[in-house]
Amino acid sequence: MRISAQAEDFDISAEIELLKENRTDLGAIATFTGLVRDIHGDKQIKKMTLEHFPGMAEQELGKIGFEASARWPLEDLTIIHRYGELLPGDNIVLVITTSHHREAAFEAAQFIMDYLKTNAPFWKKEETTEGDHWVAAKTDDDDKKDRWK
Amino acid sequence: MRISAQAEDFDISAEIELLKENRTDLGAIATFTGLVRDIHGDKQIKKMTLEHFPGMAEQELGKIGFEASARWPLEDLTIIHRYGELLPGDNIVLVITTSHHREAAFEAAQFIMDYLKTNAPFWKKEETTEGDHWVAAKTDDDDKKDRWK
Amino acid sequence: MNLVYFALIRENIGKSSQSIDLPEGVTTTGELIDHLSTLGDNYNAAFAQSDLIRIAVNQEYVGLDHPVTDRDEVAIFPPMTGG
Amino acid sequence: MNLVYFALIRENIGKSSQSIDLPEGVTTTGELIDHLSTLGDNYNAAFAQSDLIRIAVNQEYVGLDHPVTDRDEVAIFPPMTGG
């Protein structure tokens, strides 16, 4: 399991290669990438700043990864979450799950994303054409997490 | 929509870049990669040969892509399926779905994989330590497809 | 009529494509399979298990009751195993 | 006690961390929030909406009835919006 909270960008192919290194038993690799969108509601996004709680962020991402590994037959997984200043089109988060079976890989990646939205200590601030604001948490995201209970 | 049946390998990062080109509105990118496993049941795989029906293969992949686009609010998608001789660890198939929303991206990628298994004219032959054989279709895969009805 | 075969069916028959003249009375895909099965043991073996036969006429999947004419391309192959 | 703040709560209070001496009678996270709210308008504003407060004691999420001592690190922040 590779967990990282980092300012730097990530490369998906390179991250997959890390998981595949020295093994030829993986049949299924699912990935999810979350990116900064240029529009949020009716506002144009100029910049996004991601604040995080160093130490606890990695710890919580790790907990989510372990929980996913306990629920699905995963071979390995990667969770990378960026922090700092990002522009529209920039990568925010990457989840990679590998398994012998595609359902496990897909479902675990969805689970990780749903949990990460509400449980990982990251906060988004948007700089828009109409001023700056902290993104409000969506109750919707709690619902999505709750479906895994 | 990018559809390809090809002998050459693909690079996931490069394929994602093609979809992102000149746009910063994508919030979610899901990918699935299917690979040749070194074990199938109790047999060790030495090589896999993928046969395909040229022309019809691309046409069926395109139909599946269009169907996914009709069912989910996708921004764009890519389906690449390789043919020819592959070794354990090699990529077989890549599906990329992009959307403003992660559920749409995840579900559409799963849908495409489920349909592709039963509807795209590709056939796998395995060369194992105990001889060669054509892989039998799984009724299981029909069930997985049927859940989307 | 142009016939194309794939995978195990291609191997059993021993060729990947062939041209035949459609005999009188053969008007559907099912009748075509029955006719081909009389052409030799290799064909008979290829089409022995009807639940393992899939057919495409002019690159569209069809059933065993689909009409066929001399101008069609008919592809015969086992269930697909891609992905 | 070490306090750390993030995001809007950090901005409202005007600092990202501080050390305080835990007053007599403050033994839970809820009592701590009540105490901090008396320290000035900036604290009061930061903690005005109790449903928008999340707390971690020594990097573990806890509720408002969790015990606190002078040796704890208490982090206070709004609901998370990562991903």
Side-chain angles (χ1 to χ4, degrees), chain A residues 9 34-38 82 86-92, chain B residues 17 20 23-26:
Chain A
D9 197 10
L35 305 97
V36 181
R37 288 187 56 196
D38 52 12
R82 296 180 69 191
L86 304 175
L87 298 173
D90 281 353
N91 293 321
I92 301 172
Chain B
E17 282 312 310
K20 284 178 67 178
R23 60 192 299 181
T24 51
D25 63 323
L26 301 175

Side-chain angles (χ1 to χ4, degrees), chain C residues 6-70:
Chain C
F6 292 100
L8 184 57
I9 286 177
R10 172 181 58 72
E11 285 188 347
N12 276 332
I13 292 174
K15 56 183 96 174
S16 59
S17 68
Q18 69 183 126
S19 270
I20 62 161
D21 290 320
L22 207 57
E24 197 86 17
V26 174
T27 61
T28 69
T29 43
E31 287 162 1
L32 174 65
I33 299 288
D34 289 342
H35 166 65
L36 291 171
S37 300
T38 67
L39 297 185
D41 285 348
N42 52 338
Y43 290 91
N44 207 20
F47 303 132
Q49 273 192 270
S50 62
D51 59 327
L52 296 184
I53 300 174
R54 298 290 180 275
I55 304 173
V57 173
N58 304 321
Q59 306 205 350
E60 294 285 341
Y61 297 120
V62 298
L64 287 171
D65 53 358
H66 193 83
V68 289
T69 74
D70 249 330

Side-chain angles (χ1 to χ4, degrees), chain B residues 111-131:
Chain B
F111 170 89
I112 291 168
M113 281 305 303
D114 286 350
Y115 262 70
L116 191 151
K117 288 247 167 197
T118 54
N119 281 37
F122 289 85
W123 299 271
K124 287 177 180 146
K125 188 176 194 175
E126 290 174 347
E127 190 175 308
T128 78
T129 42
E130 293 165 53

Side-chain angles (χ1 to χ4, degrees), chain B:
Chain B
M1 188 160 80
R2 167 158 146 71
I3 300 292
S4 175
Q6 63 188 45
E8 314 79 58
D9 196 10
F10 46 76
D11 179 75
I12 300 182
S13 293
E15 292 297 336
I16 288 177
E17 282 312 310
L18 283 180
L19 293 179
K20 284 178 67 178
E21 214 162 35
N22 299 321
R23 60 192 299 181
T24 51
D25 63 323
L26 301 175
I29 302 177
T31 79
F32 180 84
T33 310
L35 305 97
V36 181
R37 289 188 57 196
D38 53 12
I39 301 274
H40 190 173
D42 55 353
K43 294 191 188 68
Q44 255 206 290
I45 307 298
K46 288 155 59 183
K47 201 169 78 179
M48 176 179 278
T49 304
L50 266 145
E51 185 166 329
H52 80 303
F53 186 169
M56 186 167 176
E58 290 86 344
Q59 182 180 298
E60 289 299 316
L61 294 178
K63 279 185 194 173
I64 297 166
F66 274 118
E67 179 66 24
S69 303
R71 290 184 182 218
W72 286 276
L74 301 182
E75 292 304 308
D76 206 345
L77 66 88
T78 294
I79 308 175
I80 300 175
H81 202 304
R82 296 180 69 190
Y83 57 80
E85 295 196 352
L86 304 175
L87 298 173
D90 281 353
N91 292 322
I92 301 172
V93 61
L94 173 65
V95 172
I96 309 178
T97 52
T98 66
S99 175
H100 294 165
H101 305 286
R102 69 183 190 279
E103 287 76 20
F106 271 123
E107 287 179 17
Q110 268 179 290
F111 170 89
I112 291 168
M113 281 305 303
D114 286 350
Y115 262 70
L116 191 151
K117 288 247 167 197
T118 54
N119 281 37
F122 289 85
W123 299 271
K124 287 177 180 146
K125 188 176 194 175
E126 290 174 347
E127 190 175 308
T128 78
T129 42
E130 293 165 53
D132 300 359
H133 64 267
W134 290 94
V135 173
K138 288 191 239 170
T139 50
D140 193 30
D141 283 330
D142 279 316
D143 296 344
K144 280 169 193 162
K145 189 184 89 172
D146 287 346
R147 73 178 151 153
W148 300 106
K149 289 255 161 77

Side-chain angles (χ1 to χ4, degrees), chain D residues 37-59:
Chain D
S37 299
T38 67
L39 297 185
D41 285 349
N42 52 337
Y43 290 91
N44 206 20
F47 303 131
Q49 273 191 271
S50 62
D51 58 326
L52 296 184
I53 300 174
R54 298 291 181 273
I55 305 173
V57 173
N58 304 321
Q59 307 206 348

